[in-house]
Amino acid sequence: MAQDVLTFKKGVHIDEFKELSEDSNLLVLEVPKQVVIPLTQHIGAPSKCLVNKKDEVAVGQLIGQAVGNFSANIHSSVAGVVTDIIDIQTASGKNAQAVVIDTEGFDQNKEYILNEHVDLSKEEIVSKIKDAGIVGMGGAAFPTHIKYTPPKPIDTVIVNGAECEPYVTCDDYILKNKPEAIVKGLSLLVKAVDAKEGIIAIEDNKPKAYESIANYLKNYDAKVKLRVVKLATKYPQGDEKRIIDAVLHRHVPSGGLPMDVGVNVSNVSSVNAVYEAIYYDKPLYERVMTVTGHNINKPTNMLVKIGTAFEYAIDQAAGTKGEIGKIINGGPMMGIAQPTNDKPIEKATNCILVQTKEEAIPPVTEPCIRCARCVEVCPVNLMPLYIHKFALKEKLDMAESYRIMDCIECGSCSYICPSKRPLVEAIRFGKRQIRQAGK
């Protein structure tokens, strides 16, 4: 009997371009001569710098300590010497202090031994997650230890394997090649919050990933109910509120969080990091990510050290085919365009997308024709055309009355608009004005 394919209402179907990298072998990058490791790679307080110039550091050494609970530890991804501590703007747009480490002449080998007999309490699981500096690696960078000490009961943990953003395939690679890590990592997270069930949700454009997880689950002796489900391939299926709707038919209230409906959602790469932290005692200092685009000679998934420059990763994918039009941290829908190619890779950098000059040309904008297509596709049931108008005219009260703050900035409205109106850009502007006004 065929399994139901789950989804939410509305959304858009987008050209995926995942074929560029989805079948690539994993490229393990050589350690660069220098890394620049930001001390703010998460939502919350910046980490406290624990090193000084001329200090020697080892692979996995704690170099940035979480400040309070709403923060995250930062570890060195390399062995080397600290040559500077500088102020930078990160690829995610944060102003941050960063540790510069030169690696030449240092032994980079670091072996982590598998602990086959893991038997931890839920408090010990969360403690190890915090020590390892794990955050949401799908883009949000929310400290994972906070998510798994919720003030409300959680009955279900969902592993978000949708990866709905075009071009990005790193989570697909992990699902296909590391099913043990995902299933065991999910089991740990279920135990951490005393949940009754764990679900791995995968879009149906990833049949090999689904098969890999399903086959592993057949022979896995789970202590709680674990299952894998198929999601329809649709954008933004990977938004955590959309995935909760699709899988459990629960609706997170306006301004609410998944825990308000008894659910926690974690990204595939984050769950893999949890597995490595607990089964190998390995902190989060490297990640699998995608370097891709029609301007990349050899689009691929690669294992990179945190702090590696975008430029180095692009060079290791055989460089570009021609002049660069735009470099994006993330995918084309919700990613952030970069002013330079020397930004360091962060924990939440799941993709570097390199566009051609032609792809980067902004579309010609026409007046709104009131076709309401933006309303038809909005996954949050908003009216983007009106929010856009009020935001640009700085009529903030009207924008708020149309629930501007509920917008998830997925870009579905801008994508579908026949007039190519800058809907998301205007909404972001309006939200920023509201926050600055202290509302």
Side-chain angles (χ1 to χ4, degrees), residues 152-213:
K152 298 182 179 181
I154 301 295
D155 59 64
T156 306
V157 176
I158 298 176
V159 176
N160 185 348
E163 199 168 50
C164 63
E165 183 88 27
Y167 292 95
V168 188
T169 60
C170 54
D171 284 352
D172 183 26
Y173 177 87
I174 294 172
L175 288 166
K176 288 186 292 191
N177 294 280
K178 300 188 68 176
E180 179 180 11
I182 300 307
V183 172
K184 289 186 176 181
L186 173 58
S187 297
L188 291 165
L189 294 177
V190 167
K191 183 175 182 179
V193 289
D194 291 323
K196 298 177 182 178
E197 182 179 30
I199 301 171
I200 302 167
I202 304 172
E203 277 194 343
D204 63 358
N205 63 346
K206 305 172 183 63
K208 293 179 181 177
Y210 179 88
E211 182 181 8
S212 174
I213 296 295

Side-chain angles (χ1 to χ4, degrees), residues 14-329:
I14 299 176
D15 291 332
E16 299 171 26
F17 301 116
K18 292 182 183 286
E19 68 277 1
L20 294 174
S21 61
E22 64 183 349
D23 293 324
S24 65
N25 294 322
L26 186 68
L27 176 63
V28 180
L29 260 61
E30 294 183 4
V31 175
K33 293 180 180 179
Q34 184 182 85
V35 296
V36 179
I37 303 178
L39 295 177
T40 304
Q41 299 183 46
H42 49 271
I43 294 174
S47 302
K48 177 184 177 183
C49 187
L50 299 180
V51 294
N52 298 298
K53 287 184 183 181
K54 299 183 180 180
D55 285 355
E56 291 189 8
V57 295
V59 177
Q61 178 179 327
L62 184 67
I63 61 172
Q65 187 173 44
V67 176
N69 193 45
F70 208 91
S71 185
N73 286 337
I74 304 288
H75 299 81
S76 177
S77 59
V78 296
V81 60
V82 176
T83 58
D84 208 350
I85 298 170
I86 60 176
D87 293 323
I88 65 168
Q89 186 177 69
T90 68
S92 57
K94 298 182 178 76
N95 293 319
Q97 197 176 46
V99 178
V100 182
I101 304 173
D102 284 359
T103 67
E104 286 190 284
F106 286 83
D107 182 7
Q108 302 297 329
N109 292 323
K110 176 73 174 181
E111 185 178 5
Y112 290 95
I113 307 299
L114 172 64
N115 179 5
E116 296 182 358
H117 305 289
V118 171
D119 184 20
L120 302 178
S121 68
K122 64 179 185 179
E123 292 81 10
E124 290 171 327
I125 292 170
V126 173
S127 178
K128 279 189 167 289
I129 289 172
K130 182 176 182 179
D131 290 345
I134 299 172
V135 301
M137 297 170 69
F142 191 91
T144 303
H145 68 274
I146 297 175
K147 182 179 287 189
Y148 286 89
T149 50
K152 298 182 179 181
I154 301 295
D155 59 64
T156 306
V157 176
I158 298 176
V159 176
N160 185 348
E163 199 168 50
C164 63
E165 183 88 27
Y167 292 95
V168 188
T169 60
C170 54
D171 284 352
D172 183 26
Y173 177 87
I174 294 172
L175 288 166
K176 288 186 292 191
N177 294 280
K178 300 188 68 176
E180 179 180 11
I182 300 307
V183 172
K184 289 186 176 181
L186 173 58
S187 297
L188 291 165
L189 294 177
V190 167
K191 183 175 182 179
V193 289
D194 291 323
K196 298 177 182 178
E197 182 179 30
I199 301 171
I200 302 167
I202 304 172
E203 277 194 343
D204 63 358
N205 63 346
K206 305 172 183 63
K208 293 179 181 177
Y210 179 88
E211 182 181 8
S212 174
I213 296 295
N215 287 340
Y216 189 86
L217 280 172
K218 287 178 183 177
N219 300 311
Y220 182 65
D221 183 20
K223 300 295 188 278
V224 294
K225 182 180 179 182
L226 300 180
R227 59 189 174 103
V228 58
V229 299
K230 288 182 182 178
L231 302 170
T233 300
K234 186 170 65 171
Y235 183 84
Q237 185 73 82
D239 174 68
E240 62 181 9
K241 294 181 182 179
R242 271 13 85 188
I243 211 168
I244 292 169
D245 181 7
V247 175
L248 299 173
H249 306 297
R250 301 181 193 176
H251 301 282
V252 179
S254 175
L257 297 170
M259 68 178 178
D260 294 327
V261 293
V263 184
N264 263 359
V265 182
S266 284
N267 167 265
V268 165
S269 291
S270 300
V271 177
N272 178 60
V274 168
Y275 168 80
E276 291 184 343
I278 293 175
Y279 278 86
Y280 286 89
D281 203 26
K282 178 183 176 183
L284 175 55
Y285 62 76
E286 61 183 3
R287 66 159 297 151
V288 177
M289 62 171 292
T290 308
V291 176
T292 187
H294 294 100
N295 203 7
I296 290 289
N297 280 309
K298 292 185 178 180
T300 188
N301 290 304
M302 54 178 65
L303 181 66
V304 300
K305 306 291 186 183
I306 302 301
T308 300
F310 278 37
E311 181 180 22
Y312 184 79
I314 292 169
D315 288 344
Q316 297 307 299
T320 61
K321 296 178 181 179
E323 189 176 355
I324 294 174
K326 188 182 291 184
I327 297 176
I328 299 174
N329 174 32

